[in-house]
Amino acid sequence: MKRIGILTSGGDCQGLNAAIRGVAKALYVKWGDKVEIYGIQDGYRGLIEGNVRHMKREDFSGILTLGGTILGTSRQPFKKMRVIGEDNVDKVKAMKETFKKMKLDCLAILGGNGTQKTANLLSEEGIPVVSLPKTIDNDVWGPDMTFGFHSAVEIATTVLDCIHTTATSHGRVFIVEIMGHKVGWLPLYAGVAGGADVILLPEIPYKIESVVKTLEQRNKAGKRFSILAVAEGALSLEESKMSKKEFKAARMEMEHPSISYRLADEIGQMTGQEIRVTVPGHFQRGGSPCAYDRVLSTRFGTAAAQLIADEHYGHMVALKGTEIVAVPLSEVAGKLKGVPVDCEEVRSARDLGISFGD
Ligand code: F6P
């Protein structure tokens, strides 16, 4: 009998259930009654606390299109994994004990960057793991694409489409704040797909004068409105020169609830134009996965099941070009896949006249 544990960790995204289903169904096809799957509740927290349940086959049916995760999730920061807190719990030891107590053969771990780091830690500690890359940010190092990303792009693009009609009617400047703290793939793709005039990314610090210049040029050209797709992690050129500590302190002192509101104030003062801000927030992570993500999640799920069958542990499944491959977790851990400032997508947007505010 094979006993496989499965968990989802970090922020949720569309396609998690489709991927869980992919792993489980492929394992049942391979091993039939000779495999038991154990769902670990709320990510690594469940592994630490021993919150594990035996899943039935039917648990994995009817979930392909379901958003969120049937296993629940939580954020357990990697940097605190080896730190023993006030509860006096040695988290790494506790996770290893749960694995042993449940007599598991392997863990299938679904998550983003932080999750992959802890998956690598567990692998280094001798636990057989395979992992799957998820996140709406598409910032996991290794795969060309993570599941969740395209679904979020669809939602953010729909927001921009809807904003377009109202912006046109009123002749206003609209700022749409799109998720992406450190990495701007989502605002970049949604910005291009939604016809934004200005796209601000964490990777390309902006100058407010340059943003305003673009808006004024549009006014002169007789355009009634302008739309800015702004990453929640967008930052000014001055801020980009600050140390991490200085930046944190400056943002703590910022009077505005987010960067978009600060930009709205600054642009309003400099141009006298009417500015509105829209923040779709976690809406972008919710709901049913788009068709692309359903397929990618399924491919990742079945590929992970194959890694488990082959006992090819310590690896993350990844899409490279059109192929699904296995990448060693040791290569993935601790890296981030940001937007290269001169990548083809950015150059194409610039060719179209989209401003990045630099
Ligand atoms: O990592 C995905 C993500 O949605 C980011 O884009 C966003 O900055 C962050 O999670 C939000 O985190 P939380 O769910 O903790 O509010």
Side-chain angles (χ1 to χ4, degrees):
M1 178 65 71
K2 293 278 182 190
R3 295 162 66 96
I4 312 299
I6 186 162
L7 67 85
T8 53
S9 177
D12 74 339
C13 71
Q14 304 90 337
L16 278 168
N17 288 324
I20 293 169
R21 170 183 176 269
V23 176
K25 290 209 170 199
L27 287 177
Y28 288 133
V29 168
K30 280 181 205 311
W31 285 328
D33 292 338
K34 293 193 169 53
V35 62
E36 283 177 351
I37 299 177
Y38 290 84
I40 298 156
Q41 189 66 33
D42 296 340
Y44 291 120
R45 188 197 294 156
L47 195 58
I48 295 165
E49 295 173 357
N51 194 354
V52 182
R53 69 188 144 115
H54 179 214
M55 309 281 288
K56 300 194 203 78
R57 277 188 191 222
E58 51 269 35
D59 291 331
F60 302 106
S61 288
I63 61 170
L64 173 64
T65 62
L66 196 65
T69 160
I70 58 165
L71 299 173
T73 188
S74 64
R75 290 200 186 273
Q76 295 286 322
F78 171 76
K79 60 179 180 204
K80 291 203 178 140
M81 273 299 176
R82 289 204 185 270
V83 179
I84 297 179
E86 279 173 10
D87 55 8
N88 219 17
V89 175
D90 181 333
K91 294 183 266 302
V92 177
K93 191 167 162 230
M95 288 193 286
K96 286 167 78 176
E97 276 171 7
T98 302
F99 185 86
K100 209 169 155 200
K101 191 172 145 216
M102 294 307 298
K103 297 191 173 61
L104 297 175
D105 292 291
C106 169
L107 284 179
I109 297 175
L110 288 70
N113 282 302
T115 302
Q116 303 299 339
K117 280 198 255 182
T118 300
N120 184 51
L121 179 158
L122 290 175
S123 178
E124 285 172 351
E125 288 284 328
I127 304 257
V129 301
V130 302
S131 74
L132 293 80
K134 67 92 220 181
T135 164
I136 64 166
D137 295 330
N138 193 29
D139 61 354
V140 177
W141 190 91
D144 293 345
M145 199 57 70
T146 55
F147 62 85
F149 175 66
H150 273 288
S151 303
V153 169
E154 290 294 331
I155 296 175
T157 302
T158 302
V159 174
L160 285 161
D161 290 348
C162 293
I163 289 301
H164 246 103
T165 61
T166 175
T168 323
S169 311
H170 285 269
R172 283 170 173 160
V173 173
F174 263 94
I175 297 176
V176 179
E177 185 172 294
I178 298 174
M179 275 188 161
H181 256 303
K182 291 188 184 145
V183 168
W185 290 110
L186 180 54
L188 174 60
Y189 270 63
V192 171
D197 308 298
V198 178
I199 300 176
L200 302 184
L201 308 178
E203 292 89 344
I204 308 179
Y206 70 84
K207 291 190 216 93
I208 192 68
E209 297 77 16
S210 168
V211 173
V212 165
K213 193 170 154 205
T214 303
L215 302 181
E216 284 172 349
Q217 278 167 352
R218 282 183 57 80
N219 291 344
K220 276 195 200 118
K223 309 278 186 186
R224 273 175 57 77
F225 69 96
S226 291
I227 296 183
L228 291 82
V230 174
E232 60 182 341
L235 74 171
S236 69
L237 190 61
E238 301 81 63
E239 287 175 318
S240 73
K241 290 177 184 155
M242 292 176 181
S243 69
K244 225 174 161 179
K245 208 173 154 192
E246 286 167 343
F247 178 70
K248 230 175 154 182
R251 282 296 171 99
M252 291 284 274
E253 277 171 26
M254 186 168 88
E255 290 163 4
H256 306 88
S258 74
I259 185 66
S260 298
Y261 289 92
R262 188 179 85 188
L263 278 163
D265 249 9
E266 289 171 341
I267 297 169
Q269 279 170 30
M270 289 167 82
T271 66
Q273 275 185 274
E274 204 178 353
I275 326 281
R276 292 286 186 272
V277 177
T278 297
V279 185
H282 291 75
F283 199 79
Q284 293 163 93
R285 272 190 356 208
S288 193
C290 65
Y292 179 94
D293 279 338
R294 293 178 201 182
V295 175
L296 186 62
S297 298
T298 303
R299 292 175 74 194
F300 280 169
T302 56
Q306 190 58 50
L307 291 186
I308 295 170
D310 295 342
E311 298 186 5
H312 196 51
Y313 302 130
H315 284 72
M316 181 185 77
V317 294
L319 180 74
K320 292 263 196 194
T322 56
E323 302 293 315
I324 305 285
V325 297
V327 186
L329 273 168
S330 54
E331 282 181 22
V332 175
K335 294 185 196 144
L336 207 59
K337 187 186 69 187
V339 176
V341 293
D342 60 347
C343 69
E344 196 274 329
E345 289 95 327
V346 169
R347 280 187 279 119
S348 161
R350 288 193 196 276
D351 286 349
L352 206 69
I354 296 175
S355 163
F356 285 85
D358 50 345

mmCIF file of all heavy atoms in Angstrom, residues 67-93:
data_model
loop_
_atom_site.group_PDB
_atom_site.id
_atom_site.type_symbol
_atom_site.label_atom_id
_atom_site.label_comp_id
_atom_site.label_asym_id
_atom_site.label_seq_id
_atom_site.Cartn_x
_atom_site.Cartn_y
_atom_site.Cartn_z
ATOM 1 N N GLY A 67 -12.971 26.923 -7.631
ATOM 2 C CA GLY A 67 -11.891 27.811 -7.196
ATOM 3 C C GLY A 67 -11.417 27.456 -5.794
ATOM 4 O O GLY A 67 -11.977 26.568 -5.145
ATOM 5 N N GLY A 68 -10.378 28.132 -5.317
ATOM 6 C CA GLY A 68 -9.856 27.880 -3.960
ATOM 7 C C GLY A 68 -9.195 26.522 -3.868
ATOM 8 O O GLY A 68 -8.712 25.979 -4.865
ATOM 9 N N THR A 69 -9.161 25.975 -2.643
ATOM 10 C CA THR A 69 -8.567 24.651 -2.447
ATOM 11 C C THR A 69 -9.387 23.850 -1.450
ATOM 12 O O THR A 69 -9.673 24.355 -0.350
ATOM 13 C CB THR A 69 -7.092 24.726 -1.979
ATOM 14 O OG1 THR A 69 -6.728 23.475 -1.369
ATOM 15 C CG2 THR A 69 -6.816 25.857 -1.013
ATOM 16 N N ILE A 70 -9.740 22.618 -1.812
ATOM 17 C CA ILE A 70 -10.546 21.786 -0.891
ATOM 18 C C ILE A 70 -9.736 21.405 0.351
ATOM 19 O O ILE A 70 -10.310 20.959 1.331
ATOM 20 C CB ILE A 70 -11.067 20.494 -1.578
ATOM 21 C CG1 ILE A 70 -9.904 19.653 -2.134
ATOM 22 C CG2 ILE A 70 -12.105 20.814 -2.649
ATOM 23 C CD1 ILE A 70 -10.288 18.217 -2.489
ATOM 24 N N LEU A 71 -8.421 21.606 0.302
ATOM 25 C CA LEU A 71 -7.571 21.233 1.447
ATOM 26 C C LEU A 71 -7.351 22.400 2.409
ATOM 27 O O LEU A 71 -6.776 22.221 3.477
ATOM 28 C CB LEU A 71 -6.209 20.725 0.951
ATOM 29 C CG LEU A 71 -6.247 19.479 0.060
ATOM 30 C CD1 LEU A 71 -4.867 19.188 -0.510
ATOM 31 C CD2 LEU A 71 -6.751 18.276 0.843
ATOM 32 N N GLY A 72 -7.782 23.591 2.006
ATOM 33 C CA GLY A 72 -7.493 24.779 2.824
ATOM 34 C C GLY A 72 -6.021 25.147 2.685
ATOM 35 O O GLY A 72 -5.203 24.333 2.230
ATOM 36 N N THR A 73 -5.690 26.377 3.044
ATOM 37 C CA THR A 73 -4.299 26.802 2.932
ATOM 38 C C THR A 73 -3.983 27.825 4.013
ATOM 39 O O THR A 73 -4.894 28.360 4.672
ATOM 40 C CB THR A 73 -3.998 27.356 1.519
ATOM 41 O OG1 THR A 73 -2.592 27.593 1.405
ATOM 42 C CG2 THR A 73 -4.752 28.651 1.217
ATOM 43 N N SER A 74 -2.715 28.078 4.215
ATOM 44 C CA SER A 74 -2.295 29.117 5.162
ATOM 45 C C SER A 74 -0.901 29.566 4.773
ATOM 46 O O SER A 74 -0.215 28.884 4.015
ATOM 47 C CB SER A 74 -2.264 28.556 6.594
ATOM 48 O OG SER A 74 -1.288 27.539 6.691
ATOM 49 N N ARG A 75 -0.539 30.727 5.267
ATOM 50 C CA ARG A 75 0.829 31.207 5.017
ATOM 51 C C ARG A 75 1.688 30.847 6.231
ATOM 52 O O ARG A 75 1.389 31.254 7.348
ATOM 53 C CB ARG A 75 0.830 32.715 4.800
ATOM 54 C CG ARG A 75 0.187 33.143 3.483
ATOM 55 C CD ARG A 75 0.640 34.538 3.107
ATOM 56 N NE ARG A 75 -0.053 35.045 1.930
ATOM 57 C CZ ARG A 75 0.340 34.822 0.678
ATOM 58 N NH1 ARG A 75 1.408 34.080 0.438
ATOM 59 N NH2 ARG A 75 -0.333 35.338 -0.338
ATOM 60 N N GLN A 76 2.740 30.098 6.001
ATOM 61 C CA GLN A 76 3.700 29.727 7.047
ATOM 62 C C GLN A 76 5.068 30.190 6.557
ATOM 63 O O GLN A 76 5.740 29.463 5.818
ATOM 64 C CB GLN A 76 3.718 28.202 7.240
ATOM 65 C CG GLN A 76 2.435 27.606 7.769
ATOM 66 C CD GLN A 76 2.242 27.910 9.245
ATOM 67 O OE1 GLN A 76 3.203 27.912 10.013
ATOM 68 N NE2 GLN A 76 1.019 28.206 9.636
ATOM 69 N N PRO A 77 5.473 31.418 6.884
ATOM 70 C CA PRO A 77 6.704 31.967 6.302
ATOM 71 C C PRO A 77 7.908 31.040 6.453
ATOM 72 O O PRO A 77 8.177 30.517 7.535
ATOM 73 C CB PRO A 77 6.913 33.271 7.075
ATOM 74 C CG PRO A 77 5.588 33.586 7.669
ATOM 75 C CD PRO A 77 4.871 32.295 7.875
ATOM 76 N N PHE A 78 8.630 30.872 5.354
ATOM 77 C CA PHE A 78 9.815 29.996 5.336
ATOM 78 C C PHE A 78 10.831 30.440 6.380
ATOM 79 O O PHE A 78 11.422 29.619 7.079
ATOM 80 C CB PHE A 78 10.441 30.010 3.939
ATOM 81 C CG PHE A 78 11.769 29.327 3.872
ATOM 82 C CD1 PHE A 78 11.853 27.933 3.883
ATOM 83 C CD2 PHE A 78 12.948 30.063 3.836
ATOM 84 C CE1 PHE A 78 13.089 27.301 3.854
ATOM 85 C CE2 PHE A 78 14.185 29.426 3.801
ATOM 86 C CZ PHE A 78 14.245 28.049 3.811
ATOM 87 N N LYS A 79 11.019 31.784 6.475
ATOM 88 C CA LYS A 79 12.074 32.266 7.392
ATOM 89 C C LYS A 79 11.779 31.925 8.862
ATOM 90 O O LYS A 79 12.682 31.973 9.691
ATOM 91 C CB LYS A 79 12.333 33.762 7.189
ATOM 92 C CG LYS A 79 11.176 34.665 7.422
ATOM 93 C CD LYS A 79 11.600 36.111 7.211
ATOM 94 C CE LYS A 79 10.400 37.003 7.444
ATOM 95 N NZ LYS A 79 10.397 38.247 6.833
ATOM 96 N N LYS A 80 10.528 31.567 9.142
ATOM 97 C CA LYS A 80 10.205 31.229 10.539
ATOM 98 C C LYS A 80 10.165 29.714 10.762
ATOM 99 O O LYS A 80 9.914 29.254 11.877
ATOM 100 C CB LYS A 80 8.859 31.836 10.914
ATOM 101 C CG LYS A 80 8.913 33.349 10.990
ATOM 102 C CD LYS A 80 7.823 33.902 11.863
ATOM 103 C CE LYS A 80 7.931 35.408 11.953
ATOM 104 N NZ LYS A 80 6.660 36.081 11.920
ATOM 105 N N MET A 81 10.396 28.950 9.701
ATOM 106 C CA MET A 81 10.252 27.502 9.813
ATOM 107 C C MET A 81 11.210 26.886 10.833
ATOM 108 O O MET A 81 10.867 25.966 11.543
ATOM 109 C CB MET A 81 10.456 26.841 8.442
ATOM 110 C CG MET A 81 9.186 26.777 7.633
ATOM 111 S SD MET A 81 7.912 25.808 8.473
ATOM 112 C CE MET A 81 6.556 26.051 7.328
ATOM 113 N N ARG A 82 12.413 27.437 10.891
ATOM 114 C CA ARG A 82 13.398 26.865 11.827
ATOM 115 C C ARG A 82 13.451 27.641 13.148
ATOM 116 O O ARG A 82 14.283 27.352 14.006
ATOM 117 C CB ARG A 82 14.784 26.835 11.171
ATOM 118 C CG ARG A 82 14.883 25.792 10.064
ATOM 119 C CD ARG A 82 16.318 25.379 9.858
ATOM 120 N NE ARG A 82 16.482 24.482 8.737
ATOM 121 C CZ ARG A 82 16.417 23.154 8.826
ATOM 122 N NH1 ARG A 82 16.186 22.589 9.980
ATOM 123 N NH2 ARG A 82 16.568 22.396 7.742
ATOM 124 N N VAL A 83 12.557 28.653 13.243
ATOM 125 C CA VAL A 83 12.547 29.465 14.475
ATOM 126 C C VAL A 83 11.518 28.876 15.448
ATOM 127 O O VAL A 83 10.364 28.657 15.077
ATOM 128 C CB VAL A 83 12.172 30.932 14.138
ATOM 129 C CG1 VAL A 83 12.124 31.783 15.401
ATOM 130 C CG2 VAL A 83 13.128 31.514 13.111
ATOM 131 N N ILE A 84 11.955 28.629 16.662
ATOM 132 C CA ILE A 84 11.006 28.117 17.663
ATOM 133 C C ILE A 84 10.378 29.313 18.374
ATOM 134 O O ILE A 84 11.062 30.122 18.983
ATOM 135 C CB ILE A 84 11.700 27.158 18.646
ATOM 136 C CG1 ILE A 84 12.203 25.951 17.828
ATOM 137 C CG2 ILE A 84 10.751 26.724 19.765
ATOM 138 C CD1 ILE A 84 12.932 24.895 18.576
ATOM 139 N N GLY A 85 9.072 29.455 18.216
ATOM 140 C CA GLY A 85 8.358 30.624 18.739
ATOM 141 C C GLY A 85 7.879 30.426 20.158
ATOM 142 O O GLY A 85 8.320 29.505 20.865
ATOM 143 N N GLU A 86 6.916 31.298 20.543
ATOM 144 C CA GLU A 86 6.398 31.259 21.919
ATOM 145 C C GLU A 86 5.706 29.942 22.251
ATOM 146 O O GLU A 86 5.640 29.518 23.402
ATOM 147 C CB GLU A 86 5.416 32.412 22.113
ATOM 148 C CG GLU A 86 6.131 33.721 22.384
ATOM 149 C CD GLU A 86 5.189 34.905 22.418
ATOM 150 O OE1 GLU A 86 3.963 34.687 22.418
ATOM 151 O OE2 GLU A 86 5.690 36.035 22.416
ATOM 152 N N ASP A 87 5.146 29.290 21.197
ATOM 153 C CA ASP A 87 4.451 28.016 21.438
ATOM 154 C C ASP A 87 5.419 26.855 21.700
ATOM 155 O O ASP A 87 5.007 25.735 21.978
ATOM 156 C CB ASP A 87 3.537 27.674 20.249
ATOM 157 C CG ASP A 87 4.299 27.645 18.920
ATOM 158 O OD1 ASP A 87 5.540 27.745 18.942
ATOM 159 O OD2 ASP A 87 3.638 27.519 17.860
ATOM 160 N N ASN A 88 6.716 27.163 21.565
ATOM 161 C CA ASN A 88 7.761 26.165 21.832
ATOM 162 C C ASN A 88 7.741 24.964 20.877
ATOM 163 O O ASN A 88 8.233 23.891 21.216
ATOM 164 C CB ASN A 88 7.633 25.682 23.287
ATOM 165 C CG ASN A 88 8.996 25.497 23.920
ATOM 166 O OD1 ASN A 88 9.982 26.032 23.385
ATOM 167 N ND2 ASN A 88 9.064 24.747 24.995
ATOM 168 N N VAL A 89 7.143 25.152 19.709
ATOM 169 C CA VAL A 89 7.044 24.036 18.763
ATOM 170 C C VAL A 89 8.217 24.084 17.776
ATOM 171 O O VAL A 89 8.466 25.111 17.151
ATOM 172 C CB VAL A 89 5.701 24.095 17.978
ATOM 173 C CG1 VAL A 89 5.648 23.009 16.905
ATOM 174 C CG2 VAL A 89 4.529 23.949 18.934
ATOM 175 N N ASP A 90 8.911 22.962 17.660
ATOM 176 C CA ASP A 90 9.943 22.821 16.629
ATOM 177 C C ASP A 90 9.201 22.373 15.358
ATOM 178 O O ASP A 90 8.823 21.200 15.218
ATOM 179 C CB ASP A 90 10.971 21.772 17.086
ATOM 180 C CG ASP A 90 12.088 21.596 16.066
ATOM 181 O OD1 ASP A 90 11.842 21.844 14.872
ATOM 182 O OD2 ASP A 90 13.195 21.197 16.468
ATOM 183 N N LYS A 91 8.962 23.326 14.462
ATOM 184 C CA LYS A 91 8.060 23.072 13.324
ATOM 185 C C LYS A 91 8.606 21.986 12.383
ATOM 186 O O LYS A 91 7.853 21.140 11.913
ATOM 187 C CB LYS A 91 7.802 24.381 12.563
ATOM 188 C CG LYS A 91 7.018 25.393 13.396
ATOM 189 C CD LYS A 91 6.700 26.649 12.635
ATOM 190 C CE LYS A 91 7.692 27.751 12.819
ATOM 191 N NZ LYS A 91 7.954 28.243 14.169
ATOM 192 N N VAL A 92 9.905 22.046 12.142
ATOM 193 C CA VAL A 92 10.482 21.059 11.213
ATOM 194 C C VAL A 92 10.374 19.653 11.812
ATOM 195 O O VAL A 92 9.946 18.706 11.134
ATOM 196 C CB VAL A 92 11.953 21.417 10.874
ATOM 197 C CG1 VAL A 92 12.585 20.364 9.981
ATOM 198 C CG2 VAL A 92 12.010 22.800 10.200
ATOM 199 N N LYS A 93 10.697 19.548 13.084
ATOM 200 C CA LYS A 93 10.609 18.249 13.777
ATOM 201 C C LYS A 93 9.151 17.748 13.760
ATOM 202 O O LYS A 93 8.884 16.573 13.474
ATOM 203 C CB LYS A 93 11.084 18.444 15.222
ATOM 204 C CG LYS A 93 11.305 17.156 15.966
ATOM 205 C CD LYS A 93 12.081 17.424 17.259
ATOM 206 C CE LYS A 93 11.916 16.247 18.201
ATOM 207 N NZ LYS A 93 11.524 16.629 19.534
#
